[in-house]
Amino acid sequence: MNIKIIGVGKLKEKYLKDGIAEYTKRLHKFAKVSIIEVPDEKAPEQLSKAQMDQVMGKEGERILSKIKDKEYVFALAIKGSERSSEELAAEIEHLTVQGKSDLTFIIGGSLGLAPEVLKRANTQISFGRFTLPHQLMRLVLTEQIYRGFMINAHTPYHK
């Protein structure tokens, strides 16, 4: 199993890096995990709709360049469907049984994901209507993927 997390922007905060490293290390007994950072597009604070589309488009091109055809793609999007930890675990297990061994999770930048990225995704997943920094979302996502594997392994981690 190969798990890829693609995130826009460079992670700078040590505490987030440490948390992600810990869950990535734990995940290695279940899957090969790679985290890919694509550069965010610099933009002024106040953007017009056209400028927002341009920024998301450039970030989207960078994201799409990192995805292979065979990958099953989860796009994290506020309008995606919410799943419980158990539902995400079951989905991962179901995909594995179907022979899908390359799972990719995409976290957009502060403006979200370009329509082209959402179109490429096999599914959109939401972690609720909260607005979270995309850097923090990497940690939350990594923990939830780990939790999913632990649920599927029937361990006491998930109570």
Side-chain angles (χ1 to χ4, degrees), residues 70-123:
K70 68 179 182 172
E71 295 173 18
Y72 188 92
V73 177
F74 293 82
L76 275 66
I78 229 165
K79 292 183 179 176
S81 62
E82 291 183 29
R83 292 156 171 85
S84 67
S85 297
E86 294 87 356
E87 289 168 334
L88 180 60
E91 190 169 3
I92 290 170
E93 187 169 52
H94 179 73
L95 289 167
T96 303
V97 169
Q98 288 183 326
K100 305 226 186 290
S101 60
D102 295 287
L103 306 183
T104 297
F105 295 82
I106 302 171
I107 303 169
S110 59
L111 298 177
L113 291 168
E116 297 80 17
V117 175
L118 295 173
K119 184 177 179 186
R120 168 56 183 92
N122 297 91
T123 188

Side-chain angles (χ1 to χ4, degrees), residues 29-30 89 93 146-156:
K29 63 180 152 186
F30 303 106
E93 187 169 52
Y146 173 70
R147 182 177 295 271
F149 277 97
M150 296 304 283
I151 290 169
N152 291 339
H154 307 291
T155 66

Side-chain angles (χ1 to χ4, degrees), residues 1-5 31-34 101 103-105 145 149:
M1 167 76 55
N2 297 301
I3 304 282
K4 183 189 300 181
I5 298 172
K32 179 183 174 207
V33 180
S34 60
S101 60
L103 306 183
T104 297
F105 295 82
I145 294 168
F149 277 97

Side-chain angles (χ1 to χ4, degrees), residues 17-28 33 138-147 157:
K17 286 181 180 179
D18 290 347
I20 292 166
E22 177 61 29
Y23 287 113
T24 300
K25 181 178 84 174
R26 292 180 187 190
L27 271 165
H28 277 298
V33 180
R138 289 188 207 176
L139 175 58
V140 172
L141 174 62
T142 307
E143 190 280 336
Q144 283 299 300
I145 294 168
Y146 173 70
R147 182 177 295 271
Y157 177 81

Side-chain angles (χ1 to χ4, degrees), residues 4 8 11 14 33 37-38 41 48 52 57 61 65 71 84 87 94 96-97 103 115 123 127 129 147 153 157-158:
K4 183 189 300 181
V8 173
L11 198 59
K14 183 180 179 336
V33 180
E37 295 179 335
V38 297
E41 189 65 21
S48 68
M52 288 172 81
E61 288 172 11
S65 74
E71 295 173 18
S84 67
E87 289 168 334
H94 179 73
T96 303
V97 169
L103 306 183
T123 188
F127 280 74
R129 294 181 358 192
R147 182 177 295 271
Y157 177 81
H158 177 74

